[in-house]
Amino acid sequence: MTYLVGYGPRNHDRSAVELACQLALSEPQPVHVVSVVPQGWMTPAASGTDREYQAWAEQEGQTATAQARADLAEHPAVEASAGWVSARSVPQALLDEAERQEAWMLVVGSSEDAEPGRIRLSSKTDRLVHSATIPVAVAPRGYRSNAPVARVTVGFRDDDESWSLLEKTAEICRRTNARLRLVTFVVNPSRRPVTAPISHSETQVIKIWSSHAAAALKKAEEYLAGQGFTGEKLQRQLVEGEDWATAVQGLDWADGDILVVGSSATHLVSRVFLGSSAAKILRNAPVPTVIVPGMAIGA
């Protein structure tokens, strides 16, 4: 079992390596960094241009590998390695490598145009996230941390997918010896909760939904207490805000925090399809976020 890190050639942000090493210190597993370079057409009789292109791609792979090894050298306590592969599709190459390495988590960085300290998926990582069958951890742009994973925050909606996500989050906490924080977001940009299937906008409806959400959180807390999460190991919180940025930033965040969100289980396969709430949480998250595939229909 490994943490597989996607590392782009000419990468100027080592945030994914930093996050993977942080996770590895909390749940000791090897870290393997892989860079994907373009693959030539592999014609039987390669022309001079084809050979030049192949040589350029190999040089890119060697350069990226050397840079990744230099980044990994900053974490001598972590068992780590780096390499490169050539492929037509970066997301598919990473998924194939994850299967070959028996990775239990993929780790990627944010897009180069993300604001420092924020998460934004590039087109390639977006395709990767939506095809993955294992958790995908996304580091904020420029992420650095010397702290182990101390607390895992999970968004809870009291539906089948949320209960499945709760089980998976509890397992992450056990593996990393982290505290678990259970949160329900009530976002009210037009005086109605985005996370609830309620179309009314009256204040009374918001109060009723908040009351139901609080009761659901208590029920989840009682369940987790039965799983060994008691005392300081467990915290629950209901957060309200006029928009997603206000709600997410309304939580106290600290070094050593990670956030877990789940996928929408509207597809027949157990893969990651971000619902609107998870996508909005992801965009506003100030800490590394792990996206967990949802429960397949009929599973």
Side-chain angles (χ1 to χ4, degrees):
M1 303 292 283
T2 63
Y3 297 96
L4 182 70
V5 182
Y7 191 93
R10 306 293 178 181
N11 194 327
H12 300 292
D13 180 20
R14 67 173 195 263
S15 59
V17 171
E18 292 290 313
L19 175 56
C21 289
Q22 179 187 29
L23 292 166
L25 287 174
S26 304
E27 157 62 8
Q29 298 288 351
V31 172
H32 181 68
V33 180
V34 62
S35 297
V36 182
V37 300
Q39 184 180 72
W41 291 104
M42 307 296 289
T43 55
S47 66
T49 300
D50 291 334
R51 286 192 295 271
E52 290 176 2
Y53 183 84
Q54 183 177 352
W56 168 82
E58 291 177 356
Q59 183 59 51
E60 287 289 285
Q62 293 169 5
T63 299
T65 299
Q67 186 174 343
R69 287 172 178 162
D71 291 342
L72 290 168
E74 299 291 325
H75 302 275
V78 175
E79 180 184 350
S81 59
W84 63 276
V85 297
S86 60
R88 300 282 173 78
S89 167
V90 172
Q92 188 58 52
L94 291 176
L95 293 173
D96 292 343
E97 190 68 12
E99 183 176 358
R100 191 177 75 81
Q101 295 280 343
E102 296 184 336
W104 87 282
M105 187 176 293
L106 275 162
V107 185
V108 296
S110 290
S111 170
E112 291 184 357
D113 57 1
E115 295 181 9
R118 287 291 183 268
I119 290 175
R120 185 168 183 175
L121 301 181
S122 68
S123 59
K124 292 177 181 177
T125 54
D126 184 67
R127 291 198 301 272
L128 173 67
V129 162
H130 287 80
S131 300
T133 56
I134 60 175
V136 179
V138 187
R141 184 72 179 166
Y143 181 70
R144 302 288 186 274
S145 178
N146 293 318
V149 175
R151 180 173 59 180
V152 178
T153 298
V154 59
F156 182 74
R157 296 190 310 265
D158 192 28
D159 53 16
D160 289 343
E161 292 85 358
S162 287
W163 283 100
S164 175
L165 178 64
L166 206 57
E167 292 277 2
K168 297 173 183 177
T169 304
E171 180 60 24
I172 292 174
C173 289
R174 292 188 188 98
R175 296 179 70 155
T176 59
N177 195 33
R179 306 190 307 277
L180 195 158
R181 178 167 63 176
L182 191 62
V183 175
T184 292
F185 296 100
V186 178
V187 178
N188 179 27
S190 302
R191 298 184 63 80
R192 67 182 181 87
V194 175
T195 55
I198 301 174
S199 59
H200 306 291
S201 61
E202 293 82 356
T203 301
Q204 187 61 32
V205 172
I206 298 296
K207 291 181 179 179
I208 293 173
W209 161 240
S210 296
S211 176
H212 289 171
L217 277 174
K218 183 171 175 48
K219 181 180 177 182
E221 180 185 43
E222 292 170 350
Y223 169 78
L224 288 169
Q227 302 296 310
F229 289 88
T230 58
E232 294 183 353
K233 278 291 186 181
L234 180 63
Q235 174 188 359
R236 79 172 191 266
Q237 193 167 350
L238 182 68
V239 182
E240 300 186 32
E242 291 299 313
D243 52 44
W244 281 100
T246 302
V248 175
Q249 293 167 19
L251 287 168
D252 65 293
W253 298 103
D255 195 16
D257 278 348
I258 64 172
L259 174 66
V260 174
V261 297
S263 66
S264 172
T266 57
H267 297 260
L268 295 177
V269 292
S270 179
R271 291 186 175 179
V272 171
F273 288 88
L274 289 178
S276 61
S277 297
K280 290 169 184 174
I281 293 171
L282 184 70
R283 283 197 297 270
N284 290 286
V287 298
T289 301
V290 179
I291 306 167
V292 178
M295 178 179 64
I297 294 175

